[in-house]
Amino acid sequence: GEDVEQSLFLSVREGDSSVINCTYTDSSSTYLYWYKQEPGAGLQLLTYIFSNMDMKQDQRLTVLLNKKDKHLSLRIADTQTGDSAIYFCAETKGGSYIPTFGRGTSLIVHP
Amino acid sequence: DSGVTQTPKHLITATGQRVTLRCSPRSGDLSVYWYQQSLDQGLQFLIQYYNGEERAKGNILERFSAQQFPDLHSELNLSSLELGDSALYFCASSPRTSGSDYNEQFFGPGTRLTVL
C-alpha cells in the first residue's frame, strides 16, 4: 500500500462541517501537514501538526492526530464554496525532510 | 502568490523531443524541489537542489535531469519525451536548511506538459 492514503472525493453542503481523513504507515513521522490546491494553482500549506500533539486548532480548521491508529484528519467548520479544492495530507519523518504526499481529496462544496 | 515562479505555464510538444522547465524560488530560499503530478501517480517527488548542489533524489527517470544555478533558479530538463510524461510539473522552494524535519514548502503554479 501507499505510505499516505486519502479518500479521493468528499462532497458537502455549504455551511456544514467537512472532515477529510488521512492514514499513514510510518510511525516515525514527525510532522504531518495539510496542503490545499485550488484549480490552476500550486499547493499551499494550510496547517501542520507535530507528532507529539493530538490536536491543533486554527480558526475554522481543526487537525486531529491519532498516533496509535496513524490517522490524521482535517475538519473545516462552516465550509464555504471557496473551500472547494484538493486537500493533500503529507508527512515528514525522522531522517527524511522530503514530504511524502497523499493523492489528495477533492472537496466539493455545493449550495 | 507563493513567490515561486515557473515558466512556461503550458508546453505542448511531440514524443522524442526535449524541453526545459524553469523555476525561480522565493527570495532567500536556498532549496528547490521538483515534483510531477499526474492522475495515476499522484504527486511524486523528483529531485531537490540546495544552494546549487543536488541534495536528494526521488523517482526521477534517467531521461530527466535538473540543475540549480548560482542565482538559485532551477531548470528541469526532460528528454526523449514519451506520452506518459504528460503531467503537471511543480517546483517548490523552502527556507529549510538542516536540523529539523519540519519542511514547509512553497509551490509555484506549475507547468502543464502535454506530449502528443
Side-chain angles (χ1 to χ4, degrees):
Chain A
E2 297 193 0
D3 291 341
V4 179
E5 291 195 358
Q6 303 177 238
S7 53
L8 291 181
F9 298 100
L10 177 65
S11 178
V12 300
R13 194 181 300 274
E14 191 175 15
D16 287 351
S17 290
S18 308
V19 179
I20 303 171
N21 295 301
C22 168
T23 56
Y24 57 97
T25 57
D26 198 324
S27 56
S28 71
S29 296
T30 50
Y31 288 91
L32 294 121
Y33 312 79
W34 284 105
Y35 280 81
K36 177 183 181 182
Q37 183 182 24
E38 295 184 356
L43 282 69
Q44 178 184 15
L45 182 68
L46 272 182
T47 186
Y48 70 94
I49 189 167
F50 186 49
S51 59
N52 70 352
M53 298 169 65
D54 297 322
M55 186 182 91
K56 181 177 182 181
Q57 190 146 3
D58 184 359
Q59 298 182 339
R60 291 190 299 122
L61 305 179
T62 303
V63 179
L64 294 178
L65 176 60
N66 181 328
K67 289 186 287 296
K68 175 174 166 291
D69 295 337
K70 299 190 187 69
H71 182 265
L72 181 76
S73 68
L74 174 69
R75 179 176 179 270
I76 305 173
D78 188 25
T79 314
Q80 302 298 307
T81 54
D83 295 323
S84 293
I86 303 175
Y87 291 81
F88 290 87
C89 169
E91 60 167 359
T92 49
K93 45 196 156 197
S96 174
Y97 55 86
I98 305 293
T100 301
F101 286 87
R103 285 178 171 264
T105 300
S106 286
L107 174 65
I108 301 160
V109 183
H110 53 90
Chain B
D1 185 357
S2 67
V4 179
T5 60
Q6 288 187 249
T7 56
K9 199 166 175 60
H10 300 279
L11 200 46
I12 301 174
T13 189
T15 53
Q17 294 299 304
R18 182 179 193 275
V19 297
T20 297
L21 313 183
R22 184 189 167 104
C23 167
S24 291
R26 281 191 335 153
S27 177
D29 286 354
L30 300 179
S31 278
V32 169
Y33 308 77
W34 286 98
Y35 290 88
Q36 180 193 59
Q37 185 181 34
S38 61
L39 280 174
D40 56 339
Q41 295 288 329
L43 192 65
Q44 297 285 314
F45 167 67
L46 296 178
I47 197 164
Q48 179 212 358
Y49 277 80
Y50 176 79
N51 203 21
E53 293 190 3
E54 183 184 305
R55 188 56 70 92
K57 230 171 181 175
N59 301 320
I60 188 166
L61 299 172
E62 283 192 16
R63 300 183 285 110
F64 296 0
S65 65
Q67 53 184 331
Q68 186 179 27
F69 295 87
D71 66 352
L72 300 178
H73 91 271
S74 178
E75 292 180 357
L76 178 67
N77 301 295
L78 315 175
S79 61
S80 302
L81 284 166
E82 302 175 0
L83 296 177
D85 298 327
S86 295
L88 257 177
Y89 290 85
F90 285 107
C91 165
S93 72
S94 79
R96 183 197 179 278
T97 52
S98 62
S100 168
D101 297 329
Y102 178 71
N103 190 2
E104 176 180 2
Q105 297 187 316
F106 296 84
F107 282 76
T111 293
R112 182 170 292 281
L113 173 67
T114 303
V115 183
L116 301 175

